[in-house]
Amino acid sequence: PDPGRLKTARRFRLPWDPPRVPAEAHGLDLPPAWDLPAKALLMIDKIEAYVPDGGPSALGYLRGTKKIDPDEWFFKAHFYQDPVCPGSLGIESFIQLIKFWIKQNWPGLTRSHKPALVCGIEHSWSYRGQIIPRNKLVTIEAVITSIEEGDQPAVFADGWLQVDGRYIYEMKSFGIQMLRK
């Protein structure tokens, strides 16, 4: 992203104590599909940057972060004697960024539609590292690459995940479609 544009980026702090189960939605008054995930799956603590017209396509740029707690449940639940964050939770953090973009750009659809991953299109995920208990910070970035308008619109994005400043994941062509309820 253009460093000059990041100076005007908006920041958002997510609830420090997110719900542990959907029934504890802190009165956010959103349908269940739009609630923040249960605490165990909330993979972003803060939206550090949201640039609505950022990125190469000028459709949006987002950056979120998560501080690593060495006592996170997933370190203990991964394969025996292999305390790492499962890769699927890295993908989940990226999806949470895209859902944040949707809530900012299509707020009226949160009552009439529910989010779903776009199926039937090719996407990719490559990785070359792991998140381990001694790491301190995960940073997730997303650029919106295309938008499909219509009754059930969709948004597509590419993204990257860093751990302590080192890029370890790249996600390409992931999409979320807004399905009418």
Side-chain angles (χ1 to χ4, degrees):
D2 177 1
R5 294 184 71 144
L6 285 180
K7 290 178 185 173
T8 62
R10 294 180 6 208
R11 293 174 182 237
F12 298 84
R13 184 168 300 280
L14 300 176
W16 180 253
D17 187 24
R20 289 179 298 280
V21 295
E24 297 177 357
H26 292 300
L28 295 176
D29 193 31
L30 293 171
W34 290 104
D35 285 341
L36 292 172
K39 186 173 184 174
L41 292 179
L42 186 61
M43 300 308 295
I44 300 173
D45 296 329
K46 246 190 301 191
I47 303 296
E48 294 284 343
Y50 168 58
V51 183
D53 58 352
S57 301
L59 297 173
Y61 168 81
L62 301 102
R63 182 178 60 232
T65 58
K66 177 176 178 61
K67 290 182 182 174
I68 297 299
D69 175 355
D71 293 323
E72 299 259 18
W73 67 271
F74 46 75
F75 290 130
K76 297 173 184 82
H78 200 260
F79 300 123
Y80 180 66
Q81 295 184 341
D82 187 18
V84 302
C85 176
S88 59
L89 293 181
I91 296 291
E92 176 63 26
S93 64
F94 176 59
I95 291 167
Q96 289 174 19
L97 268 185
I98 300 170
K99 284 175 78 173
F100 179 86
W101 182 93
I102 289 170
K103 288 179 6 179
Q104 297 302 307
N105 289 274
W106 297 330
L109 296 182
T110 60
R111 300 242 180 261
S112 59
H113 291 69
K114 63 181 179 179
L117 291 177
V118 175
C119 297
I121 63 157
E122 189 172 318
H123 63 270
S124 66
W125 165 44
S126 57
Y127 59 96
R128 61 182 182 107
Q130 297 178 320
I131 301 167
I132 58 177
R134 75 172 177 258
N135 291 133
K136 302 295 182 212
L137 184 70
V138 172
T139 303
I140 310 96
E141 297 174 280
V143 293
I144 305 304
T145 56
S146 66
I147 298 168
E148 291 180 2
E149 301 290 345
D151 184 49
Q152 298 192 120
V155 59
F156 297 86
D158 293 342
W160 303 268
L161 185 144
Q162 302 174 44
V163 62
D164 296 338
R166 184 177 43 112
Y167 285 94
I168 64 169
Y169 291 14
E170 180 180 44
M171 289 91 39
K172 292 279 193 183
S173 302
F174 277 76
I176 294 182
Q177 184 171 23
M178 303 298 298
L179 301 178
R180 187 166 286 286
K181 293 181 186 179

